[in-house]
Amino acid sequence: MTSPFPRALGEPRLLLAVDAPSLLHRNHHARAESDLRDRSGRPAWALHGMLRQILEAIERFDPDAVIFGLDDRTASVRAKAYPDYKAGRAVKDAALVDQLDRAGALLDALGLATLTPAGLEADDVSASAATWAGRNGWNCVIVTSDRDSFAHISDHTKVLRLIDGGMGNAPLLNPDRLHTLYGVAARQYLEFAALRGDASDNLPGVAGIGAKTAPVLLAQMGSMAAVWADIDHCEGRHVAAALDSWSTETGGRRVGAAVVRRLAAPGARERYEFNLAMMAGRDDLDLGLTPDVPGTPGLLPLDADRVSRVVGHLNVGATTSLAVRVLSERILAR
């Protein structure tokens, strides 16, 4: 499969940032019937599925470095600020918890880079990876099943979203494809999400401003900062006029006054700003990447004996052979 980033001489290097928990969750549910066990007899189907998808991604994108974000499973700054954060999600199966707890050790043992930020989540690592790549002149691909990472899409960062059908059917989202999906520019996605809310994280949106209205509002006004300023200084007259003009051009009913009323309602701005704070990924984490120091964690290729020994513990010979080839034997043309 052809890489989405031309890797000709002089092209930017590529960082692959993997949301490990999202891959583990998906593979746990997709592969539980296999009841795969490692050589110690412990559950390994989610770990094995995650590793297979990682190997496919590395083979597809040919990255120079790989970093895995992991959730801090002992503390959460978001849950501390909002105790109902992610409330309503089913209790995790014990076998999944066991594999979530072991994932970091497996990846570290291979020689790959992992980061479990205190009180934070894998998405914060993805946000920091995108920022690190832009600051260092690299490209970045984030591998995840979580929509939160869409906020990090830019000219240098794309998101490979794992959905039903596995790696081969995963869409690679760039700014143009994001706009096609949601009707918003990449720089506006976080504001769009804060207006819409996120049921999976138990974050209600601004009442009456859903996934259809939010893109129109942002397209007509450019940013929520402009919207709030107009509501503060002009009672939203320019917002209403812009939306009504759009309605006239598209043949729809005039919605300007109704949208302004919803945005000016008590608690609406507070809900938006709270969602924005909860959804924004930390982009200033120290990833510990030292790409100019050969042999440091995260850089490819890896030691073949080490890969064989670590992956071999999962007890699937074909995956061990694939891992050695992809992680150790491939000639990474630059």
Side-chain angles (χ1 to χ4, degrees):
M1 190 175 297
T2 303
S3 168
F5 294 110
R7 305 306 307 281
L9 187 65
E11 285 292 318
R13 289 188 282 182
L14 176 63
L15 173 64
L16 196 69
V18 182
D19 180 348
S22 73
L23 271 65
L24 287 162
H25 277 84
R26 293 192 69 83
N27 280 286
H28 170 71
H29 297 295
R31 299 170 181 260
E33 290 185 1
S34 73
D35 196 34
L36 178 69
R37 304 278 167 159
D38 64 20
R39 289 179 178 172
S40 299
R42 299 178 72 176
W45 57 85
L47 291 168
H48 175 256
M50 175 192 69
L51 182 60
R52 291 289 303 206
Q53 290 187 320
I54 290 165
L55 295 174
E56 291 174 23
I58 290 173
E59 194 161 39
R60 175 175 178 177
F61 294 106
D62 194 14
D64 298 87
V66 187
I67 187 162
F68 295 83
L70 296 161
D71 297 340
D72 183 348
R73 295 173 39 72
T74 64
S76 169
V77 296
R78 292 180 176 89
K80 184 176 181 180
Y82 177 47
D84 288 334
Y85 182 60
K86 297 186 178 181
R89 292 191 179 187
V91 176
K92 292 182 177 66
D93 181 79
L96 172 58
V97 172
D98 179 69
Q99 293 174 86
L100 286 166
D101 288 341
R102 292 155 53 205
L106 170 68
L107 297 167
D108 287 337
L110 280 169
L112 294 166
T114 66
L115 180 59
T116 306
L120 298 173
E121 304 170 18
D123 189 57
D124 296 293
V125 179
S126 297
S128 293
T131 299
W132 184 94
R135 187 171 61 243
N136 287 278
W138 286 44
N139 285 325
C140 180
V141 170
I142 298 170
V143 182
T144 183
S145 61
D146 195 335
R147 292 184 302 179
D148 289 345
S149 287
F150 294 177
H152 316 317
I153 292 174
S154 68
D155 289 338
H156 67 77
T157 296
K158 296 175 173 61
V159 171
L160 185 74
R161 190 186 185 200
L162 297 182
I163 51 178
D164 295 339
M167 187 68 67
N169 293 317
L172 183 66
L173 303 180
N174 59 16
D176 288 342
R177 293 192 70 177
L178 184 71
H179 189 275
T180 298
L181 282 175
Y182 294 102
V184 296
R187 61 179 175 77
Q188 297 173 324
Y189 181 82
L190 184 59
E191 294 181 318
F192 161 77
L195 287 168
R196 178 200 60 197
D198 189 342
S200 69
D201 288 343
N202 197 34
L203 291 169
V206 176
I209 310 295
K212 293 183 179 179
T213 302
V216 177
L217 178 64
L218 289 167
Q220 298 307 306
M221 295 301 296
S223 70
M224 285 306 297
V227 171
W228 299 126
D230 190 62
I231 290 173
D232 287 341
H233 300 295
C234 305
E235 299 180 328
R237 286 193 295 272
H238 293 102
V239 173
L243 292 175
D244 287 343
S245 177
W246 174 85
S247 297
T248 299
E249 291 173 4
T250 57
R253 63 185 181 85
R254 294 162 68 91
V255 298
V259 169
V260 169
R261 280 198 303 273
R262 291 165 185 161
L263 291 169
R269 190 182 309 197
E270 290 78 8
R271 165 53 55 186
Y272 167 80
E273 292 177 347
F274 182 77
N275 284 352
L276 201 66
M278 294 292 289
M279 293 175 174
R282 279 278 302 274
D283 64 359
D284 59 350
L285 301 177
D286 182 1
L287 303 182
L289 293 174
T290 52
D292 297 322
V293 181
T296 56
L299 301 186
L300 298 176
L302 304 178
D303 178 75
D305 290 339
R306 185 174 183 176
V307 170
S308 179
R309 181 177 67 257
V310 173
V311 179
H313 188 69
L314 295 179
N315 210 23
V316 182
T319 299
T320 302
S321 299
L322 177 64
V324 170
R325 178 174 64 80
V326 171
L327 298 176
S328 306
E329 294 180 358
R330 296 180 70 216
I331 299 173
L332 306 180
R334 297 288 177 255

